[in-house]
Amino acid sequence: MRVILFGGTGMLGGGVLRECLADADVTRVVSAGRAGVELTHPKLRQIVTRDLFALESLGSALDGFDVCLYCLGPTSVGATEASYRRITRDLTVSIGETLLRHNTALRFLFISGRGADSAGTSRQMWARVKGEAENAILAMPFADVYVFRPGVVQPVHGTASRTAWIRAAYKLTGPLMSLLRWAAPRSVSTTEELGKAMLRTAKYGFPKKILEASDFRDAVGPDTNRG
C-alpha cells in the first residue's frame, strides 16, 4: 500500500506516520507539507513545498498512491473564521481535488475532531468549519472516504505537538490522561491507536463513514470483524 500523508510534523500526524512505517503492508510513505519531518526510514520520502495550494506543480510526484491520510489541522485558538476556514476547509478541498486528478481510485481518510458540526448550526466556529470540511470531502468522488473524529488523544512513543503551550499542557495532564484512558477507554485514544485505526480502515473499510473516538478500537479489531 502506497501512502501520501499530510501533517506528519504535527502530533497526530506524527503518530500516524510512525504506524505507517511500522506496518508491513505499507510499502511507501510520502510525507508532504510545508516542512519536513525529522526522521529517516527506508520507506519514507518527503515532499516539502511552501504552497500546498499549488500541489499540481509537483506533477508525477503525486501519481501512484493508494491512500491519502490527511492529518493537517491547525488550532483555532486566536484564528479568525476566515483564516481558519482557508486552512481547514479550503486547503483540504484543494489538495483533495488535486489528488483526484492524479488517481480517482484513491482512498481518502481525513482527521476532523470530536464535536465537528456537519449541520452548520453550532455556535462554535471551529465545529462549523470542521463540519464544512467533512461534508466537502465526503462528497468528493474518491474510491472511499472516511472521517475520523478524535477527542482526547494521548501522545505516546515520543510523539509531541510542535506548539509549546500544547506540549506544556500535555506534560501537566499526562498522569490524568492515563487515568482517564483507564476509566473511559472508549473516550480517550492514543496516537498509536488512531494511526492503527486509520491504516486498518484504509485496508479493510469500516461500516461507518464517520468514526468517533469510541469506534477506533473496533476499527483496530480483528480482520474477521470487518463489514
Side-chain angles (χ1 to χ4, degrees), residues 11 75 161 163-171:
M11 187 184 82
T75 177
S161 172
T163 305
W165 71 266
I166 294 178
R167 288 198 306 272
Y170 272 107
K171 186 175 181 179

Side-chain angles (χ1 to χ4, degrees), residues 53-121:
F53 280 97
L55 277 188
E56 191 61 65
S57 64
L58 298 173
S60 61
L62 301 177
D63 293 342
F65 295 103
D66 303 300
V67 174
C68 173
L69 303 179
Y70 196 91
C71 309
L72 281 174
T75 177
S76 63
V77 176
T80 66
E81 184 163 345
S83 64
Y84 187 68
R85 178 176 284 107
R86 175 172 168 77
I87 301 301
T88 301
R89 189 256 180 213
D90 298 348
L91 180 59
T92 306
V93 171
S94 175
I95 289 175
E97 290 175 344
T98 300
L99 292 176
L100 272 173
R101 288 194 288 272
H102 287 259
N103 185 3
T104 57
L106 192 73
R107 286 158 277 163
F108 195 101
L109 285 75
F110 172 64
I111 291 184
S112 180
R114 185 174 185 176
D117 174 30
S118 56
T121 59

Side-chain angles (χ1 to χ4, degrees), residues 115-122 127-128 130-132 134-135 138 149 210:
D117 174 30
S118 56
T121 59
S122 175
R128 295 194 309 274
K130 282 285 192 183
E132 290 176 19
E134 290 182 359
N135 291 340
L138 287 167
R149 290 178 173 176
I210 298 179

